[in-house]
Amino acid sequence: MSVTVDGDKSVSVPQRMRRLLRGPRPESVPVVVGTACTVVGLIDVAAGVFPRFRHSRMHTLAEVLPGALGPFAAALSLSAGVLLLLLAHGLKRHKRRAWRAAVVLLPAGAVAQFAYRHSIVGVLVSLTLCYLLVRHRDQFRALPDPRSRWRALANFVLLGASSLALGLVIVSVHPGRVVGDPSIADRLQHVLYGLFGVEGPIDYAGRTSWTVAYSLGALGLLTAVTTIYLAFRPEHPAARLTEDDETRLRALLATHGGRDSLGHFALRRDKAVVFSPSGKAAVCYRVVSGVMLAGGDPIGDVEAWPGAIERFMDEAKAHSWTPAVMGCSERGGEVWTRETGLTALELGDEAVVDVADFSLAGRAMRNVRQMVGRIERNGYETRVRRARDIGPTELERIRRAAADWRGTDTERGFSMALGRIGDPADGDCVIATAHLPGTDDGPHGDLKAVLHFVPWGRDGMSLELMRRDRSADPGMNELLIVASLQAAGKLGVARVSLNFAMFRSALARGERLGAGPVLRCWRGLLIFLSRWFQIESLYKFNAKFKPRWEPRFVVFRTSRELPRIGIAAMQAEGFVNVSLPRPFRSRTRRPCGHTPRTAQEHEVRAA
């Protein structure tokens, strides 16, 4: 039973959403068939490559597997094995195109069994797997993932390298039939020639030369065919935030933007969005490596959140994506887990400073007070303004400086990054700058550091970016944060969200007196990882300003998906870069003043 308000389910049945999310159970046909294809593919490849395998104790098992395993059909065995390995993951993810390819491949394997091996059992196994696919075809409805034609190049490089390595194994597993003693260079040359269907310099006794030639030719043909297919198949580009989507999101933020400090980051233009049936709520997301990542809480009316969440889960199921939420608040986590049956895990804490309670007085703020006083005595000046109050010439200089001061070559940020400065639509953003008069001869004049804040409702702002000139005095970030907090009252800002500190509670509890050995070991591991991810330094930097800590959560389906979600999140944040560069600009609307973002952790270290 459920209650409907303006087209949205304000109270939904958790069991229904759980079934929607889970789809087929782990023991269902897609998982079984996908696993079977993996095993079959590996054994087919082994049977086609290693001659002893076909005469080993595994021979009896190999005869009942799809693919021709005779000495004259090694090429077919290799082709079937590699294709099944490529299809296995798609079958497990319920992909429709993988299902179509497997339905064609398995009967071909059955024909090969009968024609080459005369194996009735092998034919039955192939047809049985094919029957399971056809019988349960309704479970293979997942749509394709976002992609580009660059995947063809990736396929050529990866599959080509695999074919080269596998080819070296093929030419080397017949030592008793090789004529002479070919060198490594000769073997490599033979493989390269064989991939193109040309006879190489190595000779074999008997019919082994034909087996090697067919196998290498099959690998080369497989690489070429799959690359051509990926290059010429219809492109399914990644979703982008359209102008209409952005307009609707801004309207929701104008009314409900004060609920979540991460709300404005939903306006990143490399995200997609799903709206609730009534349009009163939305969930923004990005798909990374098959993981559908939502950032922060849903946007809009809390009563309409369930409708947007249901649309999100529908989209995840339609594409067989893994749903996950990064950095949602405690209230958002409660709604997500209640409506979907997902699990929430505390990821860290967000540092929030109440402007009315902030002061540099007192012993606790002595270090910050001394650092800021020293920098001010050195002649630095600060300016804190709305972006709309800055002239276009100065705004362009700030934008160029922020881009030049980026600490890495990779744009970083997803859940707490907007990815642009100075867009005309972002006039409510706050920009704090540090200047050193008398240094106008530099590439950016007297500008030495920049902080960029995005709106958090009508009375708050969230820190989005910190950049500084490496030649400036240490403490620029502290100087600008203090200046922003002191000027916040004049800007009508009552609360300021600073950086997000991952695993803050573990670091804080682990250093207390009486902490247990498990907690101390966990803290030690976090400190060790801080050498690369600056976990501890962000916590200590935020703690300087005596904030209140608001917990943030990651929401996921099962614990076994956490590693995959973690890798996808690091890709989205820019810590892991596995994508190929784009030679052409997207035809979608470019963000005005778009500048790559450096991770705030690097700026904290510089401070």
Side-chain angles (χ1 to χ4, degrees):
M1 183 176 180
S2 62
V3 179
T4 302
V5 179
D6 294 332
D8 288 303
K9 293 184 177 180
S10 59
V11 180
S12 61
V13 182
Q15 288 79 5
R16 179 185 174 209
M17 288 303 297
R18 290 193 186 100
R19 289 197 300 268
L20 177 67
L21 170 66
R22 291 170 182 170
R25 293 175 297 175
E27 63 271 21
S28 62
V29 171
V31 177
V32 172
V33 172
T35 303
C37 285
T38 301
V39 176
V40 167
L42 290 173
I43 296 181
D44 276 3
V45 170
V49 173
F50 301 102
R52 293 183 179 180
F53 177 86
R54 294 190 293 270
H55 304 286
S56 66
R57 295 179 180 178
M58 292 293 293
H59 179 68
T60 303
L61 175 62
E63 282 201 356
V64 301
L65 297 175
L69 303 176
F72 293 102
L76 184 58
S77 178
L78 275 175
S79 300
V82 173
L83 287 174
L84 287 173
L85 288 174
L86 294 176
L87 294 174
H89 182 64
L91 291 173
K92 290 181 180 180
R93 295 183 60 203
H94 308 253
K95 291 297 183 180
R96 189 67 175 177
R97 291 189 175 182
W99 176 87
R100 292 172 181 171
V103 167
V104 173
L105 178 63
L106 288 172
V111 172
Q113 283 284 0
F114 182 78
Y116 291 99
R117 297 291 304 165
H118 307 289
S119 173
I120 302 300
V121 177
V123 172
L124 291 177
V125 171
S126 298
L127 295 180
T128 299
L129 289 176
C130 187
Y131 168 76
L132 289 175
L133 287 173
V134 176
R135 173 68 177 80
H136 299 277
R137 59 186 177 275
D138 57 328
Q139 297 191 29
F140 298 89
R141 297 183 180 275
L143 301 176
D145 293 341
R147 60 179 180 268
S148 71
R149 302 194 189 281
W150 279 102
R151 191 167 183 179
L153 178 59
N155 177 84
F156 177 77
V157 173
L158 297 177
L159 192 54
S162 301
S163 298
L164 184 62
L166 196 57
L168 287 174
V169 175
I170 291 173
V171 301
S172 303
V173 295
H174 306 277
R177 294 184 176 272
V178 177
V179 177
D181 186 20
S183 63
I184 296 297
D186 292 334
R187 297 174 191 271
L188 182 60
Q189 183 179 359
H190 192 87
V191 172
L192 291 174
Y193 283 4
L195 292 177
F196 288 94
V198 180
E199 185 177 356
I202 300 178
D203 292 327
Y204 296 89
R207 296 180 296 184
T208 303
S209 60
W210 290 99
T211 302
V212 173
Y214 288 158
S215 299
L216 294 177
L219 288 174
L221 181 63
L222 206 61
T223 302
V225 169
T226 54
T227 301
I228 291 173
Y229 165 74
L230 293 173
F232 290 97
R233 67 177 176 170
E235 188 173 5
H236 185 74
R240 290 289 186 269
L241 203 65
T242 65
E243 292 186 15
D244 180 64
D245 291 338
E246 185 173 336
T247 300
R248 297 175 65 183
L249 284 174
R250 288 186 182 276
L252 292 177
L253 289 171
T255 306
H256 305 282
R259 296 186 184 275
D260 186 15
S261 62
L262 306 188
H264 198 85
F265 299 122
L267 298 176
R268 282 183 65 104
R269 289 164 184 159
D270 57 356
K271 288 183 178 181
V273 61
V274 289
F275 289 91
S276 64
S278 67
K280 293 184 178 181
V283 175
C284 294
Y285 67 91
R286 185 195 299 174
V287 179
V288 182
S289 299
V291 177
M292 191 176 183
L293 284 173
D297 293 344
I299 307 299
D301 190 353
V302 175
E303 293 186 356
W305 283 7
I309 291 173
E310 184 172 0
R311 289 284 181 88
F312 177 87
M313 301 307 300
D314 286 341
E315 191 76 7
K317 183 180 179 181
H319 292 268
S320 191
W321 291 331
T322 300
V325 185
M326 300 298 298
C328 65
S329 68
E330 187 171 2
R331 184 175 189 180
E334 290 175 352
V335 176
W336 275 100
T337 55
R338 184 185 70 237
E339 298 298 326
T340 65
L342 295 173
T343 302
L345 179 67
E346 185 173 341
L347 186 62
D349 294 270
E350 175 188 11
V352 178
V353 178
D354 294 315
V355 174
D357 297 333
F358 177 77
S359 173
L360 286 177
R363 183 179 180 83
M365 299 296 295
R366 183 180 60 180
N367 291 336
V368 176
R369 183 173 63 250
Q370 291 177 348
M371 178 176 291
V372 170
R374 175 178 56 80
I375 296 175
E376 290 177 341
R377 287 192 296 271
N378 290 339
Y380 285 89
E381 299 177 355
T382 59
R383 303 170 192 169
V384 182
R385 296 160 288 176
R386 297 281 184 183
R388 60 173 173 264
D389 298 330
I390 303 176
T393 302
E394 185 180 1
L395 193 60
E396 178 62 26
R397 183 178 63 165
I398 294 173
R399 189 183 300 125
R400 288 198 310 267
D404 292 343
W405 295 337
R406 187 178 58 181
T408 64
D409 294 331
T410 303
E411 180 183 355
R412 292 185 172 176
F414 166 69
S415 57
M416 295 186 69
L418 188 61
R420 60 182 184 264
I421 298 179
D423 191 297
D426 298 324
D428 287 338
C429 291
V430 175
I431 299 178
T433 55
H435 304 262
L436 183 60
T439 58
D440 298 339
D441 54 342
H444 306 295
D446 62 356
L447 183 63
K448 298 301 178 182
V450 175
L451 261 60
H452 187 236
F453 297 86
V454 300
W456 175 11
R458 299 178 179 178
D459 63 346
M461 60 184 186
S462 297
L463 179 59
E464 189 262 342
L465 172 146
M466 297 191 298
R467 301 276 170 84
R468 63 184 289 275
D469 188 343
R470 301 293 175 173
S471 63
D473 292 353
M476 289 290 103
N477 293 325
E478 287 88 341
L479 173 68
L480 287 180
I481 287 178
V482 170
S484 300
L485 291 172
Q486 292 175 339
K490 298 179 180 179
L491 298 173
V493 173
R495 51 185 178 166
V496 178
S497 171
L498 300 179
N499 298 312
F500 172 75
M502 290 186 63
F503 309 114
R504 191 233 23 125
S505 58
L507 290 170
R509 292 196 302 264
E511 63 182 357
R512 292 176 182 171
L513 182 65
V518 176
L519 189 57
R520 289 186 179 274
C521 289
W522 175 228
R523 180 177 179 274
L525 177 61
L526 293 176
I527 293 176
F528 175 75
L529 294 176
S530 296
R531 299 182 180 183
W532 295 277
F533 298 105
Q534 304 304 309
I535 300 173
E536 184 186 25
S537 60
L538 264 179
Y539 160 54
K540 291 185 175 180
F541 178 82
N542 293 332
K544 292 180 180 180
F545 305 98
K546 304 304 175 184
R548 56 181 170 89
W549 299 101
E550 297 289 343
R552 290 281 173 174
F553 299 84
V554 55
V555 179
F556 56 96
R557 187 162 47 186
T558 61
S559 57
R560 65 175 177 270
E561 292 177 346
L562 275 177
R564 183 181 180 187
I565 294 173
I567 293 175
M570 287 192 291
Q571 286 181 247
E573 295 288 351
F575 290 105
V576 177
N577 185 17
V578 296
S579 60
L580 293 170
R582 294 178 179 268
F584 306 106
R585 292 186 177 182
S586 172
R587 294 185 180 181
T588 57
R589 182 164 57 105
R590 295 284 295 179
C592 178
H594 176 81
T595 56
R597 173 183 178 269
T598 302
Q600 295 174 352
E601 297 93 302
H602 290 273
E603 299 302 328
V604 170
R605 169 180 280 186

